[in-house]
Amino acid sequence: MHKRTKVKITFFVILVGMASMFTAVVTDHWAVLSPRVEQVNATCEAAHFGLWRLCKKAIYISEADYNGKGCGPISLPGAENCTYFKHFTPGDESEIFEVKTQKEYNISAAAIAIFSLAFMILGTLCLLCSFKKGNDYILKPAGMFFAFAGLCAIISVEVMRQSVKRMIESEDTIWIDYSYAWSFACACAGFCLLFLSGIGLLLLSMPRMPQNPWESCMDAEHEVE
């Protein structure tokens, strides 16, 4: 397969990875949190959140089987109320996380995700420039940018995972149960596609290896002549 064709296939995979990561960043279904159901025939508030917004959903519980368990599932009908996080407002305390350390985790995850988007944009610009004849050398920085974007994505995922873990373990919050949702899965998929595609571009940017041991010897003889 020709090198140009390999680059185009890798670019298609990168586009899928970018779409996955962008979807993860702008949506709010990274994690679902559930408080304990204290009584039946009453409402409880489950929540799902992402990097920028948290949504609380009032779910009516009528079955006795849910008593003492986590509120949900989140797919049940109910009134939903969403609020945006004020990540970068100095001195602003979040009413959502209740613990300052947990808010800092969420700020870190959002900031790292923004770096991932920036690396994706830089990588795309480099890759588009490499399609011009004689610009194959730009594949190397493009591959590095996409690999960095993938690394930022998985770091953001891990920071968010630690944030959810601390919220569940903290005595200052009401959450007793959690699950990761489809936005979290999109971020993981974005990491895999972007990081592997970045490594692939780096490999494609390397000089072609000789197909047989005599090929390099023949090149050496021509250089001597």
Side-chain angles (χ1 to χ4, degrees):
M1 187 183 297
H2 195 269
K3 179 178 178 180
R4 185 66 61 180
T5 304
K6 294 179 180 178
V7 172
K8 290 181 179 179
I9 293 175
T10 305
F11 187 37
F12 175 77
V13 176
I14 287 172
L15 290 177
V16 176
M18 291 174 61
S20 298
M21 190 59 197
F22 183 77
T23 300
V25 170
V26 300
T27 54
D28 48 34
H29 284 77
W30 282 64
V32 177
L33 304 172
S34 302
R36 187 185 303 276
V37 175
E38 300 294 344
Q39 57 182 349
V40 295
N41 296 323
T43 59
C44 61
E45 279 193 333
H48 62 86
F49 71 99
L51 299 175
W52 315 104
R53 192 174 72 159
L54 181 141
C55 296
K56 287 186 174 182
K57 191 173 188 180
I59 300 174
Y60 184 77
I61 301 297
S62 60
E63 298 181 15
D65 293 341
Y66 287 101
N67 194 21
K69 297 182 180 179
C71 179
I74 197 74
S75 57
L76 291 174
E80 195 170 71
N81 180 31
C82 297
T83 57
Y84 285 91
F85 303 142
K86 297 181 180 180
H87 285 314
F88 306 110
T89 303
D92 179 64
E93 293 296 327
S94 173
E95 297 179 356
I96 300 301
F97 296 110
E98 302 176 22
V99 178
K100 183 178 179 181
T101 305
Q102 293 167 358
K103 182 186 176 185
E104 291 173 352
Y105 270 108
N106 199 259
I107 293 174
S108 299
I112 296 170
I114 292 176
F115 278 113
S116 180
L117 295 180
F119 282 130
M120 286 192 299
I121 294 173
L122 292 173
T124 302
L125 293 175
C126 290
L127 190 54
L128 292 176
C129 291
S130 71
F131 287 141
K132 295 183 179 180
K133 190 174 181 181
N135 286 351
D136 288 350
Y137 65 93
I138 305 181
L139 286 176
K140 184 173 292 185
M144 293 178 64
F145 283 133
F146 285 121
F148 289 152
L151 289 175
C152 287
I154 196 61
I155 293 172
S156 181
V157 164
E158 178 59 21
V159 171
M160 181 65 75
R161 194 182 70 84
Q162 292 297 326
S163 174
V164 173
K165 183 179 177 181
R166 288 184 66 91
M167 277 190 282
I168 297 299
E169 294 176 350
S170 174
E171 297 180 354
D172 298 325
T173 59
I174 61 175
W175 317 116
I176 65 164
D177 193 19
Y178 72 96
S179 62
Y180 297 110
W182 55 268
S183 297
F184 188 88
C186 285
C188 293
F191 155 69
C192 294
L193 296 175
L194 291 171
F195 183 76
L196 294 177
S197 297
I199 298 299
L201 288 178
L202 288 175
L203 294 176
L204 289 172
S205 67
M206 295 175 63
R208 187 175 66 88
M209 299 295 291
Q211 296 180 354
N212 56 69
W214 298 107
E215 186 175 344
S216 57
C217 295
M218 295 287 289
D219 292 339
E221 289 179 1
H222 287 304
E223 290 178 0
V224 172
E225 292 177 358

